[in-house]
Amino acid sequence: MIRFHAGPRPRLLIATALGVVLFGLLPHHWLLNTRLLVAWDAGVLVYLSALFVMFARSTMEKMRYRANLEDEGAIVVLILTLAAAVASLGAIAIELRGIHDANQSQQVLRLSIAAATILCSWFLVHTIFAVHYAHEFYGDAGERGGLRFPREKKPDYWDFLYFSFNFGAAAQTSDIIVLSRRMRRLSLGHTVLAFLFNTTVLALAVNVGAGLI
């Protein structure tokens, strides 16, 4: 009997716990919002690092096992994680409010934190979608499918990352064909979210530029 460690959920819990601990250790004279963003970024970096290690070590057998193990409730995990990433953009807006009146060192710190949060949240969103695409594809003991990869009948996590990050950067597919209704619905939601995320980041950048002039 195969007994592999469960997929990303324990990693998510560990990363969340580390973020909470770091939040408590950060200097208390920092703004609450700043401490929240730094803790968020640290938790995301830990989580993404753990996921990429998992990607590098995973075989097709492990991918099918994780897909079956996490099929129930996977959408809930996806929604909660993405909601947290989107909420981080609101926190960035708060962090940058009144930055024009701050001193130079404070401006550099707050801009650095905002930039780091944008990058962390962007990578998190599309990596989470990549994991979900992979587990959706290998659901039903690897028979669910729903995507066609050129010359690849058994795509690995890196193939799904390629597919997901295409949506993140261009809000469209490249050379991968979507075949199933479930994958089309998931891809539709991903496209809309990617567009809104990128548009919000652009709006934040314009506002920051205007505020610093």
PDB file of all heavy atoms in Angstrom, residues 75-112:
ATOM      1  N   ILE A  75     -11.708  22.656  -3.648  1.00  0.00           N
ATOM      2  CA  ILE A  75     -12.201  23.962  -4.074  1.00  0.00           C
ATOM      3  C   ILE A  75     -12.218  24.935  -2.899  1.00  0.00           C
ATOM      4  O   ILE A  75     -11.898  26.119  -3.045  1.00  0.00           O
ATOM      5  CB  ILE A  75     -13.609  23.840  -4.689  1.00  0.00           C
ATOM      6  CG1 ILE A  75     -13.524  23.153  -6.059  1.00  0.00           C
ATOM      7  CG2 ILE A  75     -14.244  25.213  -4.856  1.00  0.00           C
ATOM      8  CD1 ILE A  75     -12.811  23.954  -7.119  1.00  0.00           C
ATOM      9  N   VAL A  76     -12.588  24.445  -1.729  1.00  0.00           N
ATOM     10  CA  VAL A  76     -12.625  25.303  -0.539  1.00  0.00           C
ATOM     11  C   VAL A  76     -11.230  25.825  -0.221  1.00  0.00           C
ATOM     12  O   VAL A  76     -11.040  27.014   0.057  1.00  0.00           O
ATOM     13  CB  VAL A  76     -13.204  24.533   0.670  1.00  0.00           C
ATOM     14  CG1 VAL A  76     -13.126  25.386   1.930  1.00  0.00           C
ATOM     15  CG2 VAL A  76     -14.642  24.130   0.395  1.00  0.00           C
ATOM     16  N   VAL A  77     -10.237  24.938  -0.260  1.00  0.00           N
ATOM     17  CA  VAL A  77      -8.853  25.340  -0.010  1.00  0.00           C
ATOM     18  C   VAL A  77      -8.411  26.362  -1.048  1.00  0.00           C
ATOM     19  O   VAL A  77      -7.769  27.371  -0.731  1.00  0.00           O
ATOM     20  CB  VAL A  77      -7.922  24.117  -0.024  1.00  0.00           C
ATOM     21  CG1 VAL A  77      -6.462  24.552   0.098  1.00  0.00           C
ATOM     22  CG2 VAL A  77      -8.278  23.170   1.105  1.00  0.00           C
ATOM     23  N   LEU A  78      -8.758  26.125  -2.308  1.00  0.00           N
ATOM     24  CA  LEU A  78      -8.403  27.042  -3.390  1.00  0.00           C
ATOM     25  C   LEU A  78      -9.001  28.417  -3.147  1.00  0.00           C
ATOM     26  O   LEU A  78      -8.312  29.441  -3.225  1.00  0.00           O
ATOM     27  CB  LEU A  78      -8.896  26.475  -4.728  1.00  0.00           C
ATOM     28  CG  LEU A  78      -8.679  27.358  -5.961  1.00  0.00           C
ATOM     29  CD1 LEU A  78      -7.203  27.479  -6.297  1.00  0.00           C
ATOM     30  CD2 LEU A  78      -9.449  26.801  -7.154  1.00  0.00           C
ATOM     31  N   ILE A  79     -10.282  28.462  -2.811  1.00  0.00           N
ATOM     32  CA  ILE A  79     -10.977  29.740  -2.620  1.00  0.00           C
ATOM     33  C   ILE A  79     -10.403  30.500  -1.430  1.00  0.00           C
ATOM     34  O   ILE A  79     -10.157  31.717  -1.509  1.00  0.00           O
ATOM     35  CB  ILE A  79     -12.488  29.512  -2.437  1.00  0.00           C
ATOM     36  CG1 ILE A  79     -13.100  29.022  -3.766  1.00  0.00           C
ATOM     37  CG2 ILE A  79     -13.186  30.787  -1.969  1.00  0.00           C
ATOM     38  CD1 ILE A  79     -14.551  28.614  -3.647  1.00  0.00           C
ATOM     39  N   LEU A  80     -10.162  29.814  -0.321  1.00  0.00           N
ATOM     40  CA  LEU A  80      -9.640  30.478   0.870  1.00  0.00           C
ATOM     41  C   LEU A  80      -8.245  31.045   0.624  1.00  0.00           C
ATOM     42  O   LEU A  80      -7.934  32.169   1.033  1.00  0.00           O
ATOM     43  CB  LEU A  80      -9.609  29.493   2.040  1.00  0.00           C
ATOM     44  CG  LEU A  80     -10.973  29.087   2.619  1.00  0.00           C
ATOM     45  CD1 LEU A  80     -10.792  28.049   3.719  1.00  0.00           C
ATOM     46  CD2 LEU A  80     -11.718  30.303   3.162  1.00  0.00           C
ATOM     47  N   THR A  81      -7.404  30.275  -0.050  1.00  0.00           N
ATOM     48  CA  THR A  81      -6.043  30.739  -0.322  1.00  0.00           C
ATOM     49  C   THR A  81      -6.048  31.935  -1.259  1.00  0.00           C
ATOM     50  O   THR A  81      -5.330  32.924  -1.037  1.00  0.00           O
ATOM     51  CB  THR A  81      -5.200  29.610  -0.935  1.00  0.00           C
ATOM     52  OG1 THR A  81      -5.267  28.463  -0.088  1.00  0.00           O
ATOM     53  CG2 THR A  81      -3.755  30.038  -1.102  1.00  0.00           C
ATOM     54  N   LEU A  82      -6.870  31.865  -2.304  1.00  0.00           N
ATOM     55  CA  LEU A  82      -6.929  32.971  -3.253  1.00  0.00           C
ATOM     56  C   LEU A  82      -7.548  34.211  -2.625  1.00  0.00           C
ATOM     57  O   LEU A  82      -7.147  35.340  -2.919  1.00  0.00           O
ATOM     58  CB  LEU A  82      -7.718  32.545  -4.492  1.00  0.00           C
ATOM     59  CG  LEU A  82      -7.106  31.395  -5.298  1.00  0.00           C
ATOM     60  CD1 LEU A  82      -7.961  31.069  -6.509  1.00  0.00           C
ATOM     61  CD2 LEU A  82      -5.692  31.746  -5.736  1.00  0.00           C
ATOM     62  N   ALA A  83      -8.525  34.019  -1.744  1.00  0.00           N
ATOM     63  CA  ALA A  83      -9.134  35.155  -1.054  1.00  0.00           C
ATOM     64  C   ALA A  83      -8.092  35.875  -0.205  1.00  0.00           C
ATOM     65  O   ALA A  83      -8.062  37.120  -0.156  1.00  0.00           O
ATOM     66  CB  ALA A  83     -10.299  34.682  -0.184  1.00  0.00           C
ATOM     67  N   ALA A  84      -7.226  35.109   0.454  1.00  0.00           N
ATOM     68  CA  ALA A  84      -6.162  35.711   1.254  1.00  0.00           C
ATOM     69  C   ALA A  84      -5.189  36.488   0.371  1.00  0.00           C
ATOM     70  O   ALA A  84      -4.730  37.577   0.741  1.00  0.00           O
ATOM     71  CB  ALA A  84      -5.421  34.632   2.030  1.00  0.00           C
ATOM     72  N   ALA A  85      -4.882  35.941  -0.816  1.00  0.00           N
ATOM     73  CA  ALA A  85      -3.970  36.630  -1.728  1.00  0.00           C
ATOM     74  C   ALA A  85      -4.579  37.929  -2.234  1.00  0.00           C
ATOM     75  O   ALA A  85      -3.899  38.962  -2.321  1.00  0.00           O
ATOM     76  CB  ALA A  85      -3.628  35.715  -2.906  1.00  0.00           C
ATOM     77  N   VAL A  86      -5.854  37.897  -2.567  1.00  0.00           N
ATOM     78  CA  VAL A  86      -6.531  39.108  -3.028  1.00  0.00           C
ATOM     79  C   VAL A  86      -6.618  40.136  -1.902  1.00  0.00           C
ATOM     80  O   VAL A  86      -6.427  41.337  -2.113  1.00  0.00           O
ATOM     81  CB  VAL A  86      -7.939  38.773  -3.558  1.00  0.00           C
ATOM     82  CG1 VAL A  86      -8.727  40.037  -3.864  1.00  0.00           C
ATOM     83  CG2 VAL A  86      -7.833  37.908  -4.821  1.00  0.00           C
ATOM     84  N   ALA A  87      -6.870  39.672  -0.684  1.00  0.00           N
ATOM     85  CA  ALA A  87      -6.939  40.582   0.464  1.00  0.00           C
ATOM     86  C   ALA A  87      -5.595  41.276   0.689  1.00  0.00           C
ATOM     87  O   ALA A  87      -5.549  42.415   1.177  1.00  0.00           O
ATOM     88  CB  ALA A  87      -7.345  39.810   1.714  1.00  0.00           C
ATOM     89  N   SER A  88      -4.502  40.608   0.320  1.00  0.00           N
ATOM     90  CA  SER A  88      -3.187  41.219   0.484  1.00  0.00           C
ATOM     91  C   SER A  88      -3.052  42.478  -0.370  1.00  0.00           C
ATOM     92  O   SER A  88      -2.323  43.408  -0.012  1.00  0.00           O
ATOM     93  CB  SER A  88      -2.078  40.228   0.129  1.00  0.00           C
ATOM     94  OG  SER A  88      -2.027  39.976  -1.265  1.00  0.00           O
ATOM     95  N   LEU A  89      -3.757  42.518  -1.498  1.00  0.00           N
ATOM     96  CA  LEU A  89      -3.722  43.712  -2.339  1.00  0.00           C
ATOM     97  C   LEU A  89      -4.378  44.887  -1.624  1.00  0.00           C
ATOM     98  O   LEU A  89      -3.933  46.031  -1.735  1.00  0.00           O
ATOM     99  CB  LEU A  89      -4.423  43.442  -3.671  1.00  0.00           C
ATOM    100  CG  LEU A  89      -3.760  42.405  -4.581  1.00  0.00           C
ATOM    101  CD1 LEU A  89      -4.547  42.249  -5.866  1.00  0.00           C
ATOM    102  CD2 LEU A  89      -2.325  42.793  -4.888  1.00  0.00           C
ATOM    103  N   GLY A  90      -5.463  44.616  -0.894  1.00  0.00           N
ATOM    104  CA  GLY A  90      -6.084  45.668  -0.102  1.00  0.00           C
ATOM    105  C   GLY A  90      -5.149  46.175   0.978  1.00  0.00           C
ATOM    106  O   GLY A  90      -5.085  47.381   1.253  1.00  0.00           O
ATOM    107  N   ALA A  91      -4.400  45.246   1.571  1.00  0.00           N
ATOM    108  CA  ALA A  91      -3.437  45.643   2.595  1.00  0.00           C
ATOM    109  C   ALA A  91      -2.325  46.492   1.990  1.00  0.00           C
ATOM    110  O   ALA A  91      -1.805  47.411   2.641  1.00  0.00           O
ATOM    111  CB  ALA A  91      -2.849  44.403   3.266  1.00  0.00           C
ATOM    112  N   ILE A  92      -1.945  46.202   0.745  1.00  0.00           N
ATOM    113  CA  ILE A  92      -0.933  47.016   0.067  1.00  0.00           C
ATOM    114  C   ILE A  92      -1.434  48.443  -0.111  1.00  0.00           C
ATOM    115  O   ILE A  92      -0.697  49.417   0.092  1.00  0.00           O
ATOM    116  CB  ILE A  92      -0.577  46.400  -1.296  1.00  0.00           C
ATOM    117  CG1 ILE A  92       0.149  45.075  -1.102  1.00  0.00           C
ATOM    118  CG2 ILE A  92       0.299  47.358  -2.105  1.00  0.00           C
ATOM    119  CD1 ILE A  92       0.341  44.293  -2.381  1.00  0.00           C
ATOM    120  N   ALA A  93      -2.707  48.582  -0.496  1.00  0.00           N
ATOM    121  CA  ALA A  93      -3.283  49.914  -0.676  1.00  0.00           C
ATOM    122  C   ALA A  93      -3.222  50.702   0.632  1.00  0.00           C
ATOM    123  O   ALA A  93      -2.920  51.908   0.635  1.00  0.00           O
ATOM    124  CB  ALA A  93      -4.721  49.791  -1.166  1.00  0.00           C
ATOM    125  N   ILE A  94      -3.492  50.035   1.744  1.00  0.00           N
ATOM    126  CA  ILE A  94      -3.410  50.693   3.050  1.00  0.00           C
ATOM    127  C   ILE A  94      -1.966  51.061   3.367  1.00  0.00           C
ATOM    128  O   ILE A  94      -1.672  52.149   3.873  1.00  0.00           O
ATOM    129  CB  ILE A  94      -3.985  49.779   4.142  1.00  0.00           C
ATOM    130  CG1 ILE A  94      -5.479  49.520   3.889  1.00  0.00           C
ATOM    131  CG2 ILE A  94      -3.775  50.379   5.529  1.00  0.00           C
ATOM    132  CD1 ILE A  94      -6.093  48.492   4.821  1.00  0.00           C
ATOM    133  N   GLU A  95      -1.041  50.156   3.059  1.00  0.00           N
ATOM    134  CA  GLU A  95       0.376  50.390   3.329  1.00  0.00           C
ATOM    135  C   GLU A  95       0.900  51.612   2.577  1.00  0.00           C
ATOM    136  O   GLU A  95       1.748  52.365   3.099  1.00  0.00           O
ATOM    137  CB  GLU A  95       1.183  49.151   2.928  1.00  0.00           C
ATOM    138  CG  GLU A  95       2.666  49.237   3.189  1.00  0.00           C
ATOM    139  CD  GLU A  95       3.007  49.136   4.673  1.00  0.00           C
ATOM    140  OE1 GLU A  95       2.114  48.797   5.482  1.00  0.00           O
ATOM    141  OE2 GLU A  95       4.166  49.412   5.020  1.00  0.00           O
ATOM    142  N   LEU A  96       0.394  51.822   1.372  1.00  0.00           N
ATOM    143  CA  LEU A  96       0.902  52.910   0.538  1.00  0.00           C
ATOM    144  C   LEU A  96       0.148  54.221   0.737  1.00  0.00           C
ATOM    145  O   LEU A  96       0.524  55.244   0.162  1.00  0.00           O
ATOM    146  CB  LEU A  96       0.829  52.500  -0.941  1.00  0.00           C
ATOM    147  CG  LEU A  96       1.699  51.301  -1.330  1.00  0.00           C
ATOM    148  CD1 LEU A  96       1.493  50.937  -2.793  1.00  0.00           C
ATOM    149  CD2 LEU A  96       3.175  51.584  -1.057  1.00  0.00           C
ATOM    150  N   ARG A  97      -0.888  54.191   1.530  1.00  0.00           N
ATOM    151  CA  ARG A  97      -1.668  55.410   1.760  1.00  0.00           C
ATOM    152  C   ARG A  97      -0.817  56.434   2.525  1.00  0.00           C
ATOM    153  O   ARG A  97      -0.210  56.128   3.540  1.00  0.00           O
ATOM    154  CB  ARG A  97      -2.922  55.074   2.562  1.00  0.00           C
ATOM    155  CG  ARG A  97      -3.888  56.244   2.751  1.00  0.00           C
ATOM    156  CD  ARG A  97      -5.144  55.759   3.453  1.00  0.00           C
ATOM    157  NE  ARG A  97      -4.826  55.147   4.746  1.00  0.00           N
ATOM    158  CZ  ARG A  97      -5.706  54.492   5.489  1.00  0.00           C
ATOM    159  NH1 ARG A  97      -6.957  54.334   5.053  1.00  0.00           N
ATOM    160  NH2 ARG A  97      -5.341  53.975   6.649  1.00  0.00           N
ATOM    161  N   GLY A  98      -0.771  57.633   2.010  1.00  0.00           N
ATOM    162  CA  GLY A  98      -0.018  58.704   2.651  1.00  0.00           C
ATOM    163  C   GLY A  98       1.487  58.563   2.542  1.00  0.00           C
ATOM    164  O   GLY A  98       2.222  59.210   3.292  1.00  0.00           O
ATOM    165  N   ILE A  99       1.958  57.762   1.605  1.00  0.00           N
ATOM    166  CA  ILE A  99       3.403  57.539   1.490  1.00  0.00           C
ATOM    167  C   ILE A  99       4.144  58.807   1.076  1.00  0.00           C
ATOM    168  O   ILE A  99       5.320  58.993   1.383  1.00  0.00           O
ATOM    169  CB  ILE A  99       3.680  56.380   0.497  1.00  0.00           C
ATOM    170  CG1 ILE A  99       5.145  55.933   0.623  1.00  0.00           C
ATOM    171  CG2 ILE A  99       3.355  56.796  -0.943  1.00  0.00           C
ATOM    172  CD1 ILE A  99       5.463  54.685  -0.167  1.00  0.00           C
ATOM    173  N   HIS A 100       3.447  59.706   0.404  1.00  0.00           N
ATOM    174  CA  HIS A 100       4.069  60.955  -0.042  1.00  0.00           C
ATOM    175  C   HIS A 100       4.555  61.781   1.149  1.00  0.00           C
ATOM    176  O   HIS A 100       5.562  62.509   1.042  1.00  0.00           O
ATOM    177  CB  HIS A 100       3.070  61.764  -0.880  1.00  0.00           C
ATOM    178  CG  HIS A 100       3.618  63.064  -1.378  1.00  0.00           C
ATOM    179  ND1 HIS A 100       4.575  63.128  -2.368  1.00  0.00           N
ATOM    180  CD2 HIS A 100       3.376  64.361  -1.014  1.00  0.00           C
ATOM    181  CE1 HIS A 100       4.880  64.389  -2.607  1.00  0.00           C
ATOM    182  NE2 HIS A 100       4.168  65.159  -1.796  1.00  0.00           N
ATOM    183  N   ASP A 101       3.863  61.683   2.272  1.00  0.00           N
ATOM    184  CA  ASP A 101       4.206  62.478   3.452  1.00  0.00           C
ATOM    185  C   ASP A 101       5.230  61.792   4.361  1.00  0.00           C
ATOM    186  O   ASP A 101       5.686  62.400   5.331  1.00  0.00           O
ATOM    187  CB  ASP A 101       2.936  62.772   4.266  1.00  0.00           C
ATOM    188  CG  ASP A 101       1.907  63.551   3.457  1.00  0.00           C
ATOM    189  OD1 ASP A 101       2.334  64.416   2.657  1.00  0.00           O
ATOM    190  OD2 ASP A 101       0.698  63.289   3.608  1.00  0.00           O
ATOM    191  N   ALA A 102       5.585  60.549   4.073  1.00  0.00           N
ATOM    192  CA  ALA A 102       6.547  59.824   4.907  1.00  0.00           C
ATOM    193  C   ALA A 102       7.971  60.256   4.579  1.00  0.00           C
ATOM    194  O   ALA A 102       8.242  60.777   3.486  1.00  0.00           O
ATOM    195  CB  ALA A 102       6.390  58.327   4.697  1.00  0.00           C
ATOM    196  N   ASN A 103       8.899  60.023   5.513  1.00  0.00           N
ATOM    197  CA  ASN A 103      10.299  60.351   5.225  1.00  0.00           C
ATOM    198  C   ASN A 103      10.879  59.325   4.254  1.00  0.00           C
ATOM    199  O   ASN A 103      10.262  58.303   3.966  1.00  0.00           O
ATOM    200  CB  ASN A 103      11.127  60.436   6.515  1.00  0.00           C
ATOM    201  CG  ASN A 103      11.107  59.127   7.298  1.00  0.00           C
ATOM    202  OD1 ASN A 103      11.341  58.055   6.749  1.00  0.00           O
ATOM    203  ND2 ASN A 103      10.821  59.213   8.595  1.00  0.00           N
ATOM    204  N   GLN A 104      12.090  59.599   3.767  1.00  0.00           N
ATOM    205  CA  GLN A 104      12.647  58.771   2.697  1.00  0.00           C
ATOM    206  C   GLN A 104      12.845  57.319   3.123  1.00  0.00           C
ATOM    207  O   GLN A 104      12.550  56.399   2.357  1.00  0.00           O
ATOM    208  CB  GLN A 104      13.977  59.354   2.225  1.00  0.00           C
ATOM    209  CG  GLN A 104      14.551  58.634   1.005  1.00  0.00           C
ATOM    210  CD  GLN A 104      15.794  59.315   0.463  1.00  0.00           C
ATOM    211  OE1 GLN A 104      16.301  60.260   1.043  1.00  0.00           O
ATOM    212  NE2 GLN A 104      16.294  58.835  -0.659  1.00  0.00           N
ATOM    213  N   SER A 105      13.338  57.082   4.309  1.00  0.00           N
ATOM    214  CA  SER A 105      13.561  55.711   4.761  1.00  0.00           C
ATOM    215  C   SER A 105      12.249  54.946   4.879  1.00  0.00           C
ATOM    216  O   SER A 105      12.170  53.761   4.530  1.00  0.00           O
ATOM    217  CB  SER A 105      14.299  55.707   6.098  1.00  0.00           C
ATOM    218  OG  SER A 105      13.533  56.362   7.099  1.00  0.00           O
ATOM    219  N   GLN A 106      11.208  55.625   5.356  1.00  0.00           N
ATOM    220  CA  GLN A 106       9.895  54.994   5.464  1.00  0.00           C
ATOM    221  C   GLN A 106       9.315  54.706   4.086  1.00  0.00           C
ATOM    222  O   GLN A 106       8.693  53.662   3.870  1.00  0.00           O
ATOM    223  CB  GLN A 106       8.945  55.898   6.249  1.00  0.00           C
ATOM    224  CG  GLN A 106       9.149  55.855   7.758  1.00  0.00           C
ATOM    225  CD  GLN A 106       8.780  54.499   8.325  1.00  0.00           C
ATOM    226  OE1 GLN A 106       7.761  53.908   7.976  1.00  0.00           O
ATOM    227  NE2 GLN A 106       9.630  53.988   9.218  1.00  0.00           N
ATOM    228  N   GLN A 107       9.541  55.613   3.150  1.00  0.00           N
ATOM    229  CA  GLN A 107       9.068  55.382   1.778  1.00  0.00           C
ATOM    230  C   GLN A 107       9.726  54.146   1.176  1.00  0.00           C
ATOM    231  O   GLN A 107       9.050  53.309   0.562  1.00  0.00           O
ATOM    232  CB  GLN A 107       9.359  56.609   0.914  1.00  0.00           C
ATOM    233  CG  GLN A 107       8.450  57.798   1.178  1.00  0.00           C
ATOM    234  CD  GLN A 107       8.762  58.960   0.252  1.00  0.00           C
ATOM    235  OE1 GLN A 107       9.740  58.945  -0.495  1.00  0.00           O
ATOM    236  NE2 GLN A 107       7.909  59.987   0.288  1.00  0.00           N
ATOM    237  N   VAL A 108      11.046  54.031   1.362  1.00  0.00           N
ATOM    238  CA  VAL A 108      11.765  52.875   0.816  1.00  0.00           C
ATOM    239  C   VAL A 108      11.264  51.583   1.450  1.00  0.00           C
ATOM    240  O   VAL A 108      11.018  50.584   0.756  1.00  0.00           O
ATOM    241  CB  VAL A 108      13.285  53.034   1.047  1.00  0.00           C
ATOM    242  CG1 VAL A 108      14.019  51.744   0.673  1.00  0.00           C
ATOM    243  CG2 VAL A 108      13.827  54.204   0.238  1.00  0.00           C
ATOM    244  N   LEU A 109      11.090  51.583   2.774  1.00  0.00           N
ATOM    245  CA  LEU A 109      10.614  50.384   3.469  1.00  0.00           C
ATOM    246  C   LEU A 109       9.225  49.988   2.993  1.00  0.00           C
ATOM    247  O   LEU A 109       8.984  48.814   2.652  1.00  0.00           O
ATOM    248  CB  LEU A 109      10.609  50.640   4.977  1.00  0.00           C
ATOM    249  CG  LEU A 109      10.003  49.509   5.832  1.00  0.00           C
ATOM    250  CD1 LEU A 109      10.829  48.242   5.700  1.00  0.00           C
ATOM    251  CD2 LEU A 109       9.901  49.938   7.294  1.00  0.00           C
ATOM    252  N   ARG A 110       8.319  50.940   2.944  1.00  0.00           N
ATOM    253  CA  ARG A 110       6.926  50.630   2.591  1.00  0.00           C
ATOM    254  C   ARG A 110       6.800  50.220   1.129  1.00  0.00           C
ATOM    255  O   ARG A 110       6.026  49.310   0.790  1.00  0.00           O
ATOM    256  CB  ARG A 110       6.036  51.822   2.921  1.00  0.00           C
ATOM    257  CG  ARG A 110       5.911  52.043   4.434  1.00  0.00           C
ATOM    258  CD  ARG A 110       5.366  53.403   4.793  1.00  0.00           C
ATOM    259  NE  ARG A 110       3.972  53.559   4.393  1.00  0.00           N
ATOM    260  CZ  ARG A 110       3.258  54.659   4.662  1.00  0.00           C
ATOM    261  NH1 ARG A 110       3.795  55.676   5.330  1.00  0.00           N
ATOM    262  NH2 ARG A 110       1.997  54.735   4.263  1.00  0.00           N
ATOM    263  N   LEU A 111       7.569  50.853   0.255  1.00  0.00           N
ATOM    264  CA  LEU A 111       7.550  50.455  -1.155  1.00  0.00           C
ATOM    265  C   LEU A 111       8.135  49.055  -1.336  1.00  0.00           C
ATOM    266  O   LEU A 111       7.631  48.259  -2.143  1.00  0.00           O
ATOM    267  CB  LEU A 111       8.318  51.462  -2.007  1.00  0.00           C
ATOM    268  CG  LEU A 111       7.618  52.795  -2.291  1.00  0.00           C
ATOM    269  CD1 LEU A 111       8.569  53.755  -2.994  1.00  0.00           C
ATOM    270  CD2 LEU A 111       6.365  52.579  -3.142  1.00  0.00           C
ATOM    271  N   SER A 112       9.201  48.766  -0.595  1.00  0.00           N
ATOM    272  CA  SER A 112       9.819  47.438  -0.687  1.00  0.00           C
ATOM    273  C   SER A 112       8.860  46.353  -0.225  1.00  0.00           C
ATOM    274  O   SER A 112       8.744  45.293  -0.856  1.00  0.00           O
ATOM    275  CB  SER A 112      11.107  47.393   0.141  1.00  0.00           C
ATOM    276  OG  SER A 112      12.043  48.337  -0.323  1.00  0.00           O
TER     277      SER A 112
END
